[in-house]
Amino acid sequence: MSEFYKREKLLDGVYFTAISAEKFKSSRLSVNFITNLSKDTASGNAIVPFILRKGCKKYSDFSRLNRKLADLYGASLSAGISKAGDMQVVSLDASFINDSYALEGESILKETAELMIELLLNPNASDGSFNKDDVEIEKQALIDTIESEINDKRLYAMKSCMEMMFQNEPFGVSAYGYVDKAKEITGESAYGFYQNLLQKSRIEIVLSGQIDDTSVVKLFRDALSSINDRKPVEVSNKKSVFEGPLKEKTEEMELNQSKLVMGFKCVSDKTDETAMKAFSAIFGGTPFSKLFVNVREKMSLCYYCAARYDKLKNIMLVDSGVEASNKDKAYNEILAQLKSVAEGDFSEEDLTNTKSYLVGGYKSLRDSLSGTEGYVLSNILGGFDADVEKEIEAINALTKDDIISAAKSVELDAVYYLTGKETQNEND
Amino acid sequence: MKTIKNDILSMDYQILKHKSGLTMCLMPLKDYSSVYAIFGTDYGSVDTAFKLKGEENILEVPEGIAHFLEHKLFENEECDAFERYAKTGASANAYTSFDKTCYLFKCADKFPESLEILLDFVTHPYFTEQTVKKEQGIIGQEIKMYEDSPEWRVFFNTLGTMYHKNPVKIDIAGTTESIAQIDKDLLYRCYNTFYNLNNMVLCVVGNFSTEDVLTVADKVLTEAPDCEIIRGTADEPDEIVEKEVVQKLPVALPLFNIGFKETPPKKDDVLKNKIICELLEELICGETSELYKEMYNSALINSTFSYESFSSKDSFAAFFSGESKEPRKVKEKIIEKINEMKKNGIDENSFLTAKKLMLGRYIRSFNSVENIGNSMVSLYFEGKSVFSPVDVLYGITIEDLEEYMKKGFDENRSVISIVEK
């Protein structure tokens, strides 16, 4: 474990991680509930932090709660919903300035921690139900969020490809769940999901920034030990392996720029994540990568064409924005570029430069509070060491053969194509 | 060299004018691992008409040329800047906005080498008919991507229905037709006018040494001739064009942007007015307000709701945006609240809370080298320091807000832009 963060177990399945980051003017405190992704529970879990965010017994009026936050110099409080491999992460996150900037000596950290504990443990609830009006609003907001994922075409296309790749698997489940399940939520059922999170989920509390006030750890330990019947369920993630056959899907929408997404899985789960990350970067993760230089620049086929690697699931996605008439050319060229990496058609200089780029990214990570928190938490959840120095060493040690092996280990698993209807006749 | 300090933040930075004519704003921060450098010119999408002092006629150029120029500068005879940055490990980018174009990089090592690349490629243009043609294809794609984007469209349509002639309504990347008119001579003309070091600024924030910056600048930059740029002014009337604009795109919930066209303040007062405007927006409809709660709880708005103040040369506006099933009702309620505030005045406690909220946000913005660098460039071109927002916010009184309310947020100069399926 690295010395820049300390993780301790508070209770069964409850952990507190303190990440020291003195140079920032603010700190972050997040309480994360981790569960196994499932179609049946995703939406129910997702709605919980949004309801908690509305208020608690002490601040039962939404504006009053927001004014309290504003008085804490604009402490921001938000619900977070995401996936980490096969796990769903729902959280309540706070971001607030450090005590040294409070003009009248206020203890922002302590007050924010106390407020969060209030919101988590004393919500606006009675008789086994949340406030019904709040639930109706958040239920509709959740449905709207799920339906609006269609607005960002690039993300929508990537998500659609991943759903194809993980048809009946946890990772194929959307972090916000589904409209039909969301519609079933009631004040009581939402309260049930909330109870479940408190009693059965793994809880990761992360404080990053100004961490010298150890009273915060005690506050959380005392508060969470008051939860009755806590029996945490084990959460886990499994690396994905290629099984085939190739899945393909085309969808049409009113669009000016079509989106082509190609998903790759590895043939074995014994891959080296560092090599995969570097291979993905050489292939399509930098502005001097194969995809950028060839598919975008030289051939002008795409406005963007990039590869990204997911460490927890061990998959790679290539996504590009193309004009419909160029789709087949782009598809073929992307595969041709992949083949060229697998054949070692890249220089030592390409490798050195890519390493440099990735190492630069790691070094810069410590300069972002949310980046640091995200890095530590996702590695903890994936069961990896969150050690930046070690990762830098591993990257620097990679050889050309490591990259070639990684390139050879991927297989095309799914192709998703989202296209506009009026395509060919456009500006000829 | 001048040092600018701020006691609330416990920070300072240096401003100096290099012998080449380039002004530099430097903020070394030893605790950070990375460094962010941004090289900007006071030239953006609104600058479609200009001339140099001494030239006879104002030149009108095709829409989107500033952005086109930004793309083209990355390329020179032998290679492009990204290939050069590849060797130094820097992560580079650029952007064109309404009133400035910026070239930037972030790196954790080899800062002097990366800085040399930045200063070199931006000061050495190379345009040919062939490279211009190729870029038309790439930018054509970028334009299409923005045409598909509901957020982009809802915002630009607001500008389109607010402004008659002001070039702020022009799409930053132009249109496929307008960029087809761009040729290398026009690019050189725009470049030579605006990319004069006296019209530019270099801001560096993070882990670097000032000596390194000066050494590289001495090596790469040559002295720029004096320049005085005369920019065309739009003869923009006070009135809006149309009260409402609606565009159909495949979206789930309708997106909206409500705008109030304001009289642009004098350049020196822009920052103060932006802050006053945002404080008022918070009081009207921010999360601390009763109206926000009322609209949120009746499902009229959701957590995407936000506000901002907008200013570019000769334009100033207040925006409220988000998603809603009934955007027009949101506008109605906001105007109702504004009229009530105009009549009854502003509550002192709410004002103080809003100030605290904004102060906290400003303090947090100083966490990131990118944010600091970007703010430095914007504020420099506005004639202010990166700490000015904090200082100005401190000094704002409730009377300032009441004064603004007298003429601002005028219902007759309000518009709504909607994107729905």
PDB file of all heavy atoms in Angstrom, chain A residues 11 32 40 70 82 87 100 115 124 131 173 175 191 200 238 255 266 278 281 311 318 327-328 346 356 370 389 418-419:
ATOM      1  N   LEU A  11     -15.790  -1.386  10.705  1.00  0.00           N
ATOM      2  CA  LEU A  11     -16.735  -2.413  11.158  1.00  0.00           C
ATOM      3  C   LEU A  11     -16.738  -3.483  10.071  1.00  0.00           C
ATOM      4  O   LEU A  11     -16.083  -3.309   9.043  1.00  0.00           O
ATOM      5  CB  LEU A  11     -18.150  -1.828  11.263  1.00  0.00           C
ATOM      6  CG  LEU A  11     -18.341  -0.657  12.184  1.00  0.00           C
ATOM      7  CD1 LEU A  11     -19.589   0.129  11.771  1.00  0.00           C
ATOM      8  CD2 LEU A  11     -18.496  -1.137  13.635  1.00  0.00           C
ATOM      9  N   ASN A  32     -19.724   5.623  -0.071  1.00  0.00           N
ATOM     10  CA  ASN A  32     -20.074   4.772  -1.201  1.00  0.00           C
ATOM     11  C   ASN A  32     -20.663   3.454  -0.738  1.00  0.00           C
ATOM     12  O   ASN A  32     -20.080   2.777   0.120  1.00  0.00           O
ATOM     13  CB  ASN A  32     -18.819   4.463  -2.025  1.00  0.00           C
ATOM     14  CG  ASN A  32     -18.124   5.730  -2.505  1.00  0.00           C
ATOM     15  OD1 ASN A  32     -18.428   6.246  -3.568  1.00  0.00           O
ATOM     16  ND2 ASN A  32     -17.181   6.213  -1.712  1.00  0.00           N
ATOM     17  N   ASP A  40     -32.606  -6.320 -11.205  1.00  0.00           N
ATOM     18  CA  ASP A  40     -33.691  -6.172 -10.239  1.00  0.00           C
ATOM     19  C   ASP A  40     -33.460  -5.075  -9.224  1.00  0.00           C
ATOM     20  O   ASP A  40     -34.409  -4.520  -8.679  1.00  0.00           O
ATOM     21  CB  ASP A  40     -33.900  -7.482  -9.472  1.00  0.00           C
ATOM     22  CG  ASP A  40     -34.458  -8.560 -10.380  1.00  0.00           C
ATOM     23  OD1 ASP A  40     -35.173  -8.213 -11.329  1.00  0.00           O
ATOM     24  OD2 ASP A  40     -34.165  -9.745 -10.130  1.00  0.00           O
ATOM     25  N   ALA A  70     -24.852  26.210   1.606  1.00  0.00           N
ATOM     26  CA  ALA A  70     -24.319  27.477   1.104  1.00  0.00           C
ATOM     27  C   ALA A  70     -23.555  28.204   2.204  1.00  0.00           C
ATOM     28  O   ALA A  70     -22.495  28.781   1.972  1.00  0.00           O
ATOM     29  CB  ALA A  70     -25.447  28.348   0.561  1.00  0.00           C
ATOM     30  N   SER A  82     -22.493   4.896 -10.303  1.00  0.00           N
ATOM     31  CA  SER A  82     -21.538   4.424 -11.314  1.00  0.00           C
ATOM     32  C   SER A  82     -21.358   2.919 -11.213  1.00  0.00           C
ATOM     33  O   SER A  82     -21.924   2.268 -10.339  1.00  0.00           O
ATOM     34  CB  SER A  82     -20.194   5.122 -11.138  1.00  0.00           C
ATOM     35  OG  SER A  82     -19.640   4.785  -9.892  1.00  0.00           O
ATOM     36  N   MET A  87     -19.794  -4.322 -10.222  1.00  0.00           N
ATOM     37  CA  MET A  87     -20.364  -3.736  -9.010  1.00  0.00           C
ATOM     38  C   MET A  87     -21.052  -2.398  -9.294  1.00  0.00           C
ATOM     39  O   MET A  87     -20.594  -1.627 -10.121  1.00  0.00           O
ATOM     40  CB  MET A  87     -19.258  -3.520  -7.983  1.00  0.00           C
ATOM     41  CG  MET A  87     -18.580  -4.827  -7.583  1.00  0.00           C
ATOM     42  SD  MET A  87     -17.132  -4.531  -6.543  1.00  0.00           S
ATOM     43  CE  MET A  87     -15.883  -4.304  -7.785  1.00  0.00           C
ATOM     44  N   SER A 100      -9.074  26.136   6.845  1.00  0.00           N
ATOM     45  CA  SER A 100      -8.200  27.311   6.892  1.00  0.00           C
ATOM     46  C   SER A 100      -8.735  28.484   6.073  1.00  0.00           C
ATOM     47  O   SER A 100      -8.294  29.614   6.254  1.00  0.00           O
ATOM     48  CB  SER A 100      -6.794  26.963   6.422  1.00  0.00           C
ATOM     49  OG  SER A 100      -6.853  26.353   5.148  1.00  0.00           O
ATOM     50  N   LEU A 115     -23.323  16.533   8.963  1.00  0.00           N
ATOM     51  CA  LEU A 115     -24.493  16.684   8.098  1.00  0.00           C
ATOM     52  C   LEU A 115     -24.704  15.428   7.261  1.00  0.00           C
ATOM     53  O   LEU A 115     -25.822  14.925   7.113  1.00  0.00           O
ATOM     54  CB  LEU A 115     -24.343  17.914   7.202  1.00  0.00           C
ATOM     55  CG  LEU A 115     -25.468  18.195   6.222  1.00  0.00           C
ATOM     56  CD1 LEU A 115     -26.788  18.394   6.950  1.00  0.00           C
ATOM     57  CD2 LEU A 115     -25.146  19.434   5.381  1.00  0.00           C
ATOM     58  N   ASN A 124     -35.724  11.744   5.916  1.00  0.00           N
ATOM     59  CA  ASN A 124     -37.147  12.088   6.052  1.00  0.00           C
ATOM     60  C   ASN A 124     -37.955  10.828   5.781  1.00  0.00           C
ATOM     61  O   ASN A 124     -38.348  10.560   4.656  1.00  0.00           O
ATOM     62  CB  ASN A 124     -37.540  13.146   5.003  1.00  0.00           C
ATOM     63  CG  ASN A 124     -37.223  14.538   5.473  1.00  0.00           C
ATOM     64  OD1 ASN A 124     -37.151  14.789   6.668  1.00  0.00           O
ATOM     65  ND2 ASN A 124     -37.031  15.435   4.528  1.00  0.00           N
ATOM     66  N   ASN A 131     -40.712   9.997   2.348  1.00  0.00           N
ATOM     67  CA  ASN A 131     -41.722  10.975   1.983  1.00  0.00           C
ATOM     68  C   ASN A 131     -42.174  10.701   0.539  1.00  0.00           C
ATOM     69  O   ASN A 131     -41.357  10.680  -0.376  1.00  0.00           O
ATOM     70  CB  ASN A 131     -41.105  12.370   2.114  1.00  0.00           C
ATOM     71  CG  ASN A 131     -42.018  13.443   1.597  1.00  0.00           C
ATOM     72  OD1 ASN A 131     -42.267  13.543   0.390  1.00  0.00           O
ATOM     73  ND2 ASN A 131     -42.559  14.232   2.505  1.00  0.00           N
ATOM     74  N   VAL A 173     -25.635  -4.581 -17.142  1.00  0.00           N
ATOM     75  CA  VAL A 173     -26.717  -3.843 -16.489  1.00  0.00           C
ATOM     76  C   VAL A 173     -26.338  -2.372 -16.376  1.00  0.00           C
ATOM     77  O   VAL A 173     -25.224  -2.023 -16.018  1.00  0.00           O
ATOM     78  CB  VAL A 173     -26.986  -4.420 -15.077  1.00  0.00           C
ATOM     79  CG1 VAL A 173     -27.988  -3.566 -14.309  1.00  0.00           C
ATOM     80  CG2 VAL A 173     -27.460  -5.860 -15.176  1.00  0.00           C
ATOM     81  N   ALA A 175     -26.012   1.242 -14.878  1.00  0.00           N
ATOM     82  CA  ALA A 175     -25.813   1.705 -13.502  1.00  0.00           C
ATOM     83  C   ALA A 175     -27.071   2.348 -12.922  1.00  0.00           C
ATOM     84  O   ALA A 175     -27.328   2.248 -11.725  1.00  0.00           O
ATOM     85  CB  ALA A 175     -24.652   2.686 -13.427  1.00  0.00           C
ATOM     86  N   TYR A 191     -37.561   2.777   0.567  1.00  0.00           N
ATOM     87  CA  TYR A 191     -37.048   2.674   1.930  1.00  0.00           C
ATOM     88  C   TYR A 191     -36.427   1.299   2.161  1.00  0.00           C
ATOM     89  O   TYR A 191     -35.399   1.159   2.832  1.00  0.00           O
ATOM     90  CB  TYR A 191     -38.163   2.946   2.947  1.00  0.00           C
ATOM     91  CG  TYR A 191     -37.645   3.126   4.348  1.00  0.00           C
ATOM     92  CD1 TYR A 191     -37.024   4.318   4.732  1.00  0.00           C
ATOM     93  CD2 TYR A 191     -37.737   2.094   5.288  1.00  0.00           C
ATOM     94  CE1 TYR A 191     -36.526   4.479   6.013  1.00  0.00           C
ATOM     95  CE2 TYR A 191     -37.239   2.253   6.578  1.00  0.00           C
ATOM     96  CZ  TYR A 191     -36.638   3.449   6.933  1.00  0.00           C
ATOM     97  OH  TYR A 191     -36.136   3.614   8.194  1.00  0.00           O
ATOM     98  N   LYS A 200     -26.674  -4.436   4.052  1.00  0.00           N
ATOM     99  CA  LYS A 200     -26.022  -5.508   3.301  1.00  0.00           C
ATOM    100  C   LYS A 200     -24.883  -5.062   2.388  1.00  0.00           C
ATOM    101  O   LYS A 200     -24.122  -5.888   1.904  1.00  0.00           O
ATOM    102  CB  LYS A 200     -27.054  -6.235   2.435  1.00  0.00           C
ATOM    103  CG  LYS A 200     -28.217  -6.826   3.221  1.00  0.00           C
ATOM    104  CD  LYS A 200     -28.435  -8.278   2.845  1.00  0.00           C
ATOM    105  CE  LYS A 200     -29.670  -8.842   3.504  1.00  0.00           C
ATOM    106  NZ  LYS A 200     -30.915  -8.447   2.815  1.00  0.00           N
ATOM    107  N   LYS A 238     -15.560  -9.983 -12.036  1.00  0.00           N
ATOM    108  CA  LYS A 238     -14.852 -11.019 -12.785  1.00  0.00           C
ATOM    109  C   LYS A 238     -14.360 -10.446 -14.103  1.00  0.00           C
ATOM    110  O   LYS A 238     -15.123  -9.790 -14.821  1.00  0.00           O
ATOM    111  CB  LYS A 238     -15.828 -12.170 -13.063  1.00  0.00           C
ATOM    112  CG  LYS A 238     -15.173 -13.540 -13.087  1.00  0.00           C
ATOM    113  CD  LYS A 238     -16.198 -14.651 -13.244  1.00  0.00           C
ATOM    114  CE  LYS A 238     -16.778 -14.648 -14.661  1.00  0.00           C
ATOM    115  NZ  LYS A 238     -17.683 -15.792 -14.878  1.00  0.00           N
ATOM    116  N   LEU A 255     -29.587  11.727 -37.265  1.00  0.00           N
ATOM    117  CA  LEU A 255     -28.220  12.060 -36.882  1.00  0.00           C
ATOM    118  C   LEU A 255     -27.472  12.651 -38.041  1.00  0.00           C
ATOM    119  O   LEU A 255     -27.708  12.265 -39.183  1.00  0.00           O
ATOM    120  CB  LEU A 255     -27.440  10.792 -36.545  1.00  0.00           C
ATOM    121  CG  LEU A 255     -27.405  10.204 -35.158  1.00  0.00           C
ATOM    122  CD1 LEU A 255     -26.376   9.077 -35.147  1.00  0.00           C
ATOM    123  CD2 LEU A 255     -27.003  11.238 -34.125  1.00  0.00           C
ATOM    124  N   CYS A 266     -10.624 -10.130 -24.345  1.00  0.00           N
ATOM    125  CA  CYS A 266      -9.378 -10.891 -24.403  1.00  0.00           C
ATOM    126  C   CYS A 266      -9.681 -12.388 -24.426  1.00  0.00           C
ATOM    127  O   CYS A 266     -10.678 -12.835 -23.867  1.00  0.00           O
ATOM    128  CB  CYS A 266      -8.516 -10.598 -23.181  1.00  0.00           C
ATOM    129  SG  CYS A 266      -7.866  -8.944 -23.206  1.00  0.00           S
ATOM    130  N   ALA A 278      -1.175  -0.085 -22.083  1.00  0.00           N
ATOM    131  CA  ALA A 278      -0.212   0.531 -22.997  1.00  0.00           C
ATOM    132  C   ALA A 278      -0.533   0.187 -24.450  1.00  0.00           C
ATOM    133  O   ALA A 278      -0.420   1.028 -25.344  1.00  0.00           O
ATOM    134  CB  ALA A 278       1.206   0.088 -22.641  1.00  0.00           C
ATOM    135  N   ALA A 281      -3.261   2.277 -25.629  1.00  0.00           N
ATOM    136  CA  ALA A 281      -2.814   3.646 -25.870  1.00  0.00           C
ATOM    137  C   ALA A 281      -2.075   3.760 -27.200  1.00  0.00           C
ATOM    138  O   ALA A 281      -2.288   4.699 -27.963  1.00  0.00           O
ATOM    139  CB  ALA A 281      -1.917   4.118 -24.723  1.00  0.00           C
ATOM    140  N   LYS A 311      -9.943  -1.637 -17.126  1.00  0.00           N
ATOM    141  CA  LYS A 311      -9.066  -2.535 -16.373  1.00  0.00           C
ATOM    142  C   LYS A 311      -9.843  -3.607 -15.609  1.00  0.00           C
ATOM    143  O   LYS A 311      -9.408  -4.757 -15.528  1.00  0.00           O
ATOM    144  CB  LYS A 311      -8.280  -1.657 -15.390  1.00  0.00           C
ATOM    145  CG  LYS A 311      -7.192  -2.339 -14.617  1.00  0.00           C
ATOM    146  CD  LYS A 311      -6.422  -1.245 -13.858  1.00  0.00           C
ATOM    147  CE  LYS A 311      -5.552  -1.823 -12.781  1.00  0.00           C
ATOM    148  NZ  LYS A 311      -4.823  -0.789 -12.037  1.00  0.00           N
ATOM    149  N   VAL A 318     -13.355   0.626 -29.116  1.00  0.00           N
ATOM    150  CA  VAL A 318     -12.906   1.641 -30.064  1.00  0.00           C
ATOM    151  C   VAL A 318     -14.154   2.368 -30.511  1.00  0.00           C
ATOM    152  O   VAL A 318     -15.105   1.732 -30.991  1.00  0.00           O
ATOM    153  CB  VAL A 318     -12.228   1.002 -31.299  1.00  0.00           C
ATOM    154  CG1 VAL A 318     -11.923   2.066 -32.344  1.00  0.00           C
ATOM    155  CG2 VAL A 318     -10.946   0.298 -30.880  1.00  0.00           C
ATOM    156  N   LYS A 327     -18.144   4.462 -43.435  1.00  0.00           N
ATOM    157  CA  LYS A 327     -18.185   3.485 -42.353  1.00  0.00           C
ATOM    158  C   LYS A 327     -17.384   2.217 -42.641  1.00  0.00           C
ATOM    159  O   LYS A 327     -16.577   1.777 -41.827  1.00  0.00           O
ATOM    160  CB  LYS A 327     -19.636   3.125 -42.021  1.00  0.00           C
ATOM    161  CG  LYS A 327     -19.778   2.098 -40.908  1.00  0.00           C
ATOM    162  CD  LYS A 327     -20.397   0.817 -41.425  1.00  0.00           C
ATOM    163  CE  LYS A 327     -20.585  -0.205 -40.286  1.00  0.00           C
ATOM    164  NZ  LYS A 327     -21.207  -1.439 -40.794  1.00  0.00           N
ATOM    165  N   ASP A 328     -17.598   1.644 -43.796  1.00  0.00           N
ATOM    166  CA  ASP A 328     -16.917   0.375 -44.083  1.00  0.00           C
ATOM    167  C   ASP A 328     -15.409   0.563 -44.147  1.00  0.00           C
ATOM    168  O   ASP A 328     -14.634  -0.246 -43.647  1.00  0.00           O
ATOM    169  CB  ASP A 328     -17.425  -0.231 -45.393  1.00  0.00           C
ATOM    170  CG  ASP A 328     -18.851  -0.734 -45.256  1.00  0.00           C
ATOM    171  OD1 ASP A 328     -19.221  -1.126 -44.116  1.00  0.00           O
ATOM    172  OD2 ASP A 328     -19.597  -0.738 -46.238  1.00  0.00           O
ATOM    173  N   PHE A 346       5.272  -1.031 -35.143  1.00  0.00           N
ATOM    174  CA  PHE A 346       5.370   0.240 -34.445  1.00  0.00           C
ATOM    175  C   PHE A 346       6.803   0.313 -33.913  1.00  0.00           C
ATOM    176  O   PHE A 346       7.439  -0.707 -33.666  1.00  0.00           O
ATOM    177  CB  PHE A 346       4.339   0.362 -33.307  1.00  0.00           C
ATOM    178  CG  PHE A 346       4.414  -0.713 -32.263  1.00  0.00           C
ATOM    179  CD1 PHE A 346       5.154  -0.523 -31.091  1.00  0.00           C
ATOM    180  CD2 PHE A 346       3.743  -1.930 -32.430  1.00  0.00           C
ATOM    181  CE1 PHE A 346       5.224  -1.529 -30.129  1.00  0.00           C
ATOM    182  CE2 PHE A 346       3.816  -2.932 -31.468  1.00  0.00           C
ATOM    183  CZ  PHE A 346       4.563  -2.731 -30.309  1.00  0.00           C
ATOM    184  N   SER A 356       5.740   7.517 -21.959  1.00  0.00           N
ATOM    185  CA  SER A 356       5.911   8.873 -21.443  1.00  0.00           C
ATOM    186  C   SER A 356       4.557   9.535 -21.214  1.00  0.00           C
ATOM    187  O   SER A 356       4.313  10.196 -20.194  1.00  0.00           O
ATOM    188  CB  SER A 356       6.649   9.633 -22.529  1.00  0.00           C
ATOM    189  OG  SER A 356       7.468  10.561 -22.057  1.00  0.00           O
ATOM    190  N   SER A 370     -10.511  14.934  -7.275  1.00  0.00           N
ATOM    191  CA  SER A 370     -11.481  13.909  -7.663  1.00  0.00           C
ATOM    192  C   SER A 370     -10.786  12.798  -8.424  1.00  0.00           C
ATOM    193  O   SER A 370     -11.156  11.636  -8.328  1.00  0.00           O
ATOM    194  CB  SER A 370     -12.614  14.510  -8.482  1.00  0.00           C
ATOM    195  OG  SER A 370     -12.095  15.133  -9.623  1.00  0.00           O
ATOM    196  N   GLU A 389       3.405   4.953  -7.977  1.00  0.00           N
ATOM    197  CA  GLU A 389       4.826   4.720  -8.280  1.00  0.00           C
ATOM    198  C   GLU A 389       5.039   3.340  -8.883  1.00  0.00           C
ATOM    199  O   GLU A 389       5.774   3.170  -9.853  1.00  0.00           O
ATOM    200  CB  GLU A 389       5.700   4.870  -7.034  1.00  0.00           C
ATOM    201  CG  GLU A 389       6.113   6.301  -6.722  1.00  0.00           C
ATOM    202  CD  GLU A 389       4.974   7.109  -6.114  1.00  0.00           C
ATOM    203  OE1 GLU A 389       4.155   6.519  -5.375  1.00  0.00           O
ATOM    204  OE2 GLU A 389       4.891   8.319  -6.383  1.00  0.00           O
ATOM    205  N   LEU A 418     -24.509   3.249 -35.156  1.00  0.00           N
ATOM    206  CA  LEU A 418     -25.664   4.150 -35.030  1.00  0.00           C
ATOM    207  C   LEU A 418     -25.591   5.128 -36.179  1.00  0.00           C
ATOM    208  O   LEU A 418     -24.605   5.852 -36.320  1.00  0.00           O
ATOM    209  CB  LEU A 418     -25.588   4.897 -33.693  1.00  0.00           C
ATOM    210  CG  LEU A 418     -26.700   5.907 -33.400  1.00  0.00           C
ATOM    211  CD1 LEU A 418     -28.034   5.210 -33.231  1.00  0.00           C
ATOM    212  CD2 LEU A 418     -26.383   6.687 -32.125  1.00  0.00           C
ATOM    213  N   THR A 419     -26.617   5.143 -37.018  1.00  0.00           N
ATOM    214  CA  THR A 419     -26.496   5.971 -38.201  1.00  0.00           C
ATOM    215  C   THR A 419     -27.694   6.868 -38.437  1.00  0.00           C
ATOM    216  O   THR A 419     -28.803   6.582 -37.977  1.00  0.00           O
ATOM    217  CB  THR A 419     -26.226   5.082 -39.433  1.00  0.00           C
ATOM    218  OG1 THR A 419     -26.078   5.907 -40.571  1.00  0.00           O
ATOM    219  CG2 THR A 419     -27.362   4.111 -39.668  1.00  0.00           C
TER     220      THR A 419
END
